[in-house]
Amino acid sequence: MSLDLAEVDAFAERAHAGQSRKTGEEPEPPYIVHPRAVRDVLLGHPDPSAREPWVLAAALLHDVLEDCAVHHDELTTRFGADVSAAVRALSKKMRMVAGATKDDSQYWRVLAQSPLAIRRVKAAD
């Protein structure tokens, strides 16, 4: 599956519409500023594998399952299984799936067992 990162960015922006990032700034910036900043950190990474389209897509989408009305099946359909799996690994809960919550130890265990690219998204976060 070919990823259009402009489409991923637009999806993330729509998903986070109306949300703001709690930074202490006034006014609070739109939430999308955060996922874009995570993507930008990875764009500057010296290892080219950190800049692969599916990794950058995961960076842009890393909070949509927790904070937005987005189901992981929609991510799979739109952006592929790799992106969906990465975002699921990066999520402590899935808002649209009842009971889909990881405690802290589960969350960190999943991340520790995840591919390096996914851990890099978390580090950039």
Side-chain angles (χ1 to χ4, degrees), residues 1-16 32 36 39 53 56-58 60-61 64 74-80 83:
M1 168 178 273
S2 175
L3 278 170
D4 177 347
L5 290 174
E7 180 184 334
V8 175
D9 181 85
F11 180 89
E13 184 171 22
R14 285 190 307 276
H16 288 293
I32 191 62
R36 287 176 177 156
R39 175 210 50 206
L56 299 175
L60 286 165
L61 298 168
V64 299
E74 183 176 7
L75 294 183
T76 302
T77 300
R78 287 178 175 262
F79 307 117
V83 171

Side-chain angles (χ1 to χ4, degrees), residues 33-48:
V33 169
H34 168 65
R36 287 176 177 156
V38 172
R39 175 210 50 206
D40 291 349
V41 168
L42 294 168
L43 281 170
H45 198 285
D47 184 344

Side-chain angles (χ1 to χ4, degrees), residues 68-109:
C68 307
V70 174
H71 192 280
H72 62 89
D73 288 341
E74 183 176 7
L75 294 183
T76 302
T77 300
R78 287 178 175 262
F79 307 117
D82 289 341
V83 171
S84 181
V87 176
R88 285 193 318 270
L90 291 159
S91 300
K92 277 192 173 183
K93 63 179 178 150
M94 290 189 276
R95 182 175 175 186
M96 299 300 292
V97 180
T101 302
K102 300 173 197 151
D103 64 31
D104 283 344
S105 65
Q106 290 170 315
Y107 177 71
W108 290 110
R109 187 171 48 254

